[in-house]
Amino acid sequence: MKVFTLATELLSIQAENPQRKIAFIPTMGALHEGHLSLVENAQQNGYVTVVSIFINPLQFNNLSDLEKYPRTLEHDLALLEAQGVDFVFTPTNEEMYPTTTADVVVDLGLLDSRFEGACRPGHFHGVVQVVYRLFHYVQPHVVFFGEKDLQQCLVIEQLVLQHFPEIDMQRVPTKREVSGLAMSSRNMRLTKNGLETAAAIYRSLSAVIVNLTDIDARLAFEKQKLTSLGFDVEYLSCVSLPFMDEVSGKQLDNQSDASKKGKYAVVFAGSLEGVRLIDNLVF
Ligand code: PAF
């Protein structure tokens, strides 16, 4: 496994592997099985795998969140090495944000101002800036993103559509604990009790999609249930994809099951023990 810190070093990847496709998985480190499942997806297809580890200051709207973000580079590199990753890119802030480059513009529609966009102003602007630069440096054929960050996937799909139509963007289903809890770097900040309680998110999401005819009442009921378990719920909503328009039970009733598939999601964000968690189910 080769570790690069300079963008120019990445040029050797294509030069050394002219016949193979390059798969890219951008991360901010603090790696867990969810990230490794993205790597596995790339490797199953025989791609050269490139992982980046860069904590992007531009996507944190809250300085204390940035400071608290776990930094586990040595451990991350050991995990990636054991997993058989080919290249890791660990750039500095100066490498990613030289003072001379201008911001890229991506039309995100309302994605930037609703749900995660509304809760974390400027977040997707920061994500788009860093991912644009990373794609530009790595020049991947295929990129893998976890569906746990569904809205981020939708944002990246717009970035790809508008600036990198040659890239194949793959969404990988959320990796879950046995309890159903979505794997996340933030889970390590929960207590043992908190981890058990947090599994209720998945149960609620599943309960919502089990009976779509009564979705409005079900959303209200599950929201109340999560609140009574100690969650500070920011949203629990049913949305259409790709722009996350909120939909009601009536709108869903008017569509056949076949035409619905993959076009909707139930999305959640909320805090437990002061830790902000997100999750979703696409249906
Ligand atoms: O999902 C993440 O870890 C980050 O948002 C990403 C895509 C690596 C951009 O910094």
Side-chain angles (χ1 to χ4, degrees):
M1 183 175 88
K2 286 189 184 159
V3 182
F4 295 146
T5 51
L6 299 176
T8 49
E9 293 175 291
L10 294 165
L11 295 172
S12 66
I13 301 177
Q14 186 72 76
E16 284 172 22
N17 299 279
Q19 310 293 356
R20 291 173 67 199
K21 286 195 170 176
I22 297 172
F24 177 47
I25 296 138
T27 82
M28 297 205 298
L31 302 181
H32 50 73
E33 279 183 53
H35 296 105
L36 299 183
S37 81
L38 303 181
V39 171
E40 276 161 23
N41 265 273
Q43 290 172 328
Q44 274 159 15
N45 288 291
Y47 301 138
V48 177
T49 48
V50 184
V51 175
S52 66
I53 300 178
F54 176 66
I55 302 177
N56 174 30
L58 219 61
Q59 70 187 74
F60 288 84
N61 53 316
N62 177 332
L63 193 63
S64 96
D65 235 17
L66 172 62
E67 280 161 4
K68 273 193 277 178
Y69 198 86
R71 286 158 172 83
T72 55
L73 186 61
E74 290 306 306
H75 182 248
D76 293 343
L77 291 176
L79 280 180
L80 296 175
E81 174 108 63
Q83 186 81 18
V85 164
D86 300 298
F87 297 94
V88 183
F89 182 44
T90 58
T92 57
N93 280 349
E94 293 69 33
E95 187 70 1
M96 289 311 294
Y97 295 113
T99 46
T100 47
T101 48
D103 279 1
V104 65
V105 178
V106 181
D107 180 3
L108 297 179
L110 291 171
L111 281 176
D112 201 24
S113 56
R114 49 180 53 152
F115 298 102
E116 289 309 286
C119 297
R120 305 173 69 186
H123 171 67
F124 288 125
H125 173 78
V127 170
V128 160
Q129 298 313 313
V130 78
V131 174
Y132 176 85
R133 286 162 162 76
L134 288 166
F135 283 3
H136 188 67
Y137 290 155
V138 177
Q139 299 189 12
H141 299 92
V142 193
V143 293
F144 291 87
F145 284 82
E147 202 162 47
K148 179 181 157 282
D149 294 306
L150 176 64
Q151 195 166 352
Q152 172 169 279
C153 285
L154 301 170
V155 162
I156 301 301
E157 281 163 13
Q158 290 305 315
L159 169 68
V160 166
L161 205 66
Q162 294 171 38
H163 290 276
F164 300 94
E166 70 285 3
I167 292 181
D168 175 8
M169 151 83 191
Q170 299 271 338
R171 268 196 236 162
V172 178
T174 305
K175 188 98 178 161
R176 298 184 180 279
E177 304 288 351
V178 178
S179 67
L181 175 64
M183 288 187 185
S184 160
S185 321
R186 293 174 184 236
N187 293 353
M188 58 174 104
R189 284 162 48 200
L190 291 170
T191 64
K192 192 166 172 290
N193 266 347
L195 282 170
E196 276 167 28
T197 309
I201 301 170
Y202 180 65
R203 288 198 293 275
S204 286
L205 294 173
S206 307
V208 171
I209 63 170
V210 111
N211 184 359
L212 294 174
T213 47
D214 205 9
I215 201 161
D216 304 326
R218 182 52 87 172
L219 284 168
F221 177 79
E222 294 300 330
K223 197 169 174 176
Q224 180 52 44
K225 198 152 99 187
L226 291 169
T227 306
S228 69
L229 286 173
F231 287 91
D232 184 2
V233 179
E234 284 171 51
Y235 57 78
L236 177 66
S237 304
C238 182
V239 297
S240 64
L241 305 181
F243 289 110
M244 300 188 75
D245 298 301
E246 248 179 292
V247 291
S248 67
K250 265 204 195 81
Q251 286 163 291
L252 286 173
D253 289 347
N254 292 335
Q255 300 211 22
S256 73
D257 281 353
S259 68
K260 276 198 267 256
K261 205 164 168 19
K263 293 195 181 146
Y264 296 93
V266 50
V267 292
F268 166 87
S271 301
L272 182 70
E273 299 181 334
V275 181
R276 188 168 187 275
L277 302 168
I278 61 170
D279 199 356
N280 69 83
L281 284 179
V282 175
F283 62 92

